[in-house]
Amino acid sequence: MLRSGLRLCAALTFLPLAACTLFQPGWHWEKAGASVADYEADLRFCKSQTGQYNDGTVTGASVRRIQTCLEQHGWRKRQD
Protein backbone atom coordinates (compact mmCIF):
# COMPACT_ATOMS: atom_id res chain seq x y z
CA MET A 1 0.00 0.00 0.00
CA LEU A 2 2.75 2.43 0.90
CA ARG A 3 4.66 1.67 -2.29
CA SER A 4 1.68 2.34 -4.51
CA GLY A 5 1.12 5.63 -2.67
CA LEU A 6 4.74 6.63 -3.26
CA ARG A 7 4.46 5.72 -6.94
CA LEU A 8 1.31 7.78 -7.27
CA CYS A 9 2.95 10.73 -5.52
CA ALA A 10 6.00 10.48 -7.80
CA ALA A 11 3.80 10.27 -10.90
CA LEU A 12 1.76 13.29 -9.84
CA THR A 13 4.96 15.23 -9.22
CA PHE A 14 6.84 14.45 -12.42
CA LEU A 15 4.04 14.03 -14.96
CA PRO A 16 3.21 17.77 -15.14
CA LEU A 17 6.90 18.59 -15.53
CA ALA A 18 7.27 16.11 -18.37
CA ALA A 19 4.14 17.46 -20.05
CA CYS A 20 5.49 21.01 -19.88
CA THR A 21 8.66 20.04 -21.71
CA LEU A 22 6.63 18.36 -24.45
CA PHE A 23 4.66 21.53 -25.15
CA GLN A 24 7.50 24.06 -25.04
CA PRO A 25 7.71 26.06 -28.25
CA GLY A 26 10.78 25.50 -30.39
CA TRP A 27 11.39 29.25 -30.58
CA HIS A 28 11.82 32.36 -28.44
CA TRP A 29 11.58 36.12 -28.87
CA GLU A 30 14.83 38.01 -29.37
CA LYS A 31 15.79 41.66 -29.76
CA ALA A 32 19.37 42.89 -30.03
CA GLY A 33 20.51 44.53 -26.81
CA ALA A 34 17.23 43.86 -25.01
CA SER A 35 16.85 42.23 -21.61
CA VAL A 36 14.18 39.93 -20.22
CA ALA A 37 12.73 42.98 -18.46
CA ASP A 38 12.52 44.80 -21.81
CA TYR A 39 10.64 41.85 -23.31
CA GLU A 40 8.25 41.67 -20.36
CA ALA A 41 7.55 45.42 -20.60
CA ASP A 42 6.90 45.22 -24.35
CA LEU A 43 4.72 42.15 -23.88
CA ARG A 44 2.63 43.92 -21.22
CA PHE A 45 2.31 46.93 -23.54
CA CYS A 46 1.29 44.78 -26.50
CA LYS A 47 -1.26 42.87 -24.44
CA SER A 48 -2.79 46.14 -23.24
CA GLN A 49 -2.89 47.53 -26.80
CA THR A 50 -4.53 44.44 -28.26
CA GLY A 51 -7.22 44.06 -25.61
CA GLN A 52 -5.68 40.94 -24.05
CA TYR A 53 -6.25 42.30 -20.54
CA ASN A 54 -9.90 43.21 -21.11
CA ASP A 55 -11.49 39.88 -20.30
CA GLY A 56 -8.59 37.44 -20.27
CA THR A 57 -9.81 35.51 -23.30
CA VAL A 58 -6.99 34.20 -25.46
CA THR A 59 -7.80 33.54 -29.10
CA GLY A 60 -5.69 32.87 -32.16
CA ALA A 61 -6.48 36.38 -33.35
CA SER A 62 -5.37 38.00 -30.08
CA VAL A 63 -2.12 36.01 -30.11
CA ARG A 64 -1.42 37.14 -33.70
CA ARG A 65 -2.07 40.78 -32.73
CA ILE A 66 0.33 40.50 -29.79
CA GLN A 67 2.98 38.90 -32.01
CA THR A 68 2.55 41.63 -34.63
CA CYS A 69 2.91 44.28 -31.93
CA LEU A 70 6.10 42.65 -30.61
CA GLU A 71 7.52 42.54 -34.14
CA GLN A 72 6.70 46.24 -34.56
CA HIS A 73 8.76 46.85 -31.41
CA GLY A 74 11.77 45.10 -32.93
CA TRP A 75 11.31 41.59 -31.52
CA ARG A 76 11.90 38.60 -33.79
CA LYS A 77 11.10 34.91 -33.35
CA ARG A 78 14.23 32.76 -33.28
CA GLN A 79 14.49 28.97 -33.37
CA ASP A 80 15.85 27.33 -30.22
Side-chain angles (χ1 to χ4, degrees):
M1 180 76 169
L2 181 59
R3 255 187 204 182
S4 63
L6 289 174
R7 285 184 192 146
L8 178 61
C9 183
L12 292 175
T13 300
F14 295 110
L15 187 60
L17 295 174
C20 287
T21 60
L22 291 174
F23 297 107
Q24 290 290 327
W27 53 269
H28 63 277
W29 288 101
E30 186 176 275
K31 180 178 177 180
S35 67
V36 172
D38 294 331
Y39 169 74
E40 291 170 351
D42 283 344
L43 181 60
R44 277 192 305 276
F45 173 80
C46 289
K47 284 182 176 182
S48 70
Q49 294 300 302
T50 59
Q52 180 66 40
Y53 287 126
N54 290 344
D55 64 1
T57 303
V58 178
T59 65
S62 66
V63 170
R64 285 189 296 278
R65 286 192 303 269
I66 292 167
Q67 290 178 347
T68 299
C69 178
L70 286 169
E71 289 170 350
Q72 290 170 346
H73 283 85
W75 293 93
R76 298 290 173 252
K77 281 185 177 181
R78 297 289 182 228
Q79 293 295 320
D80 285 338

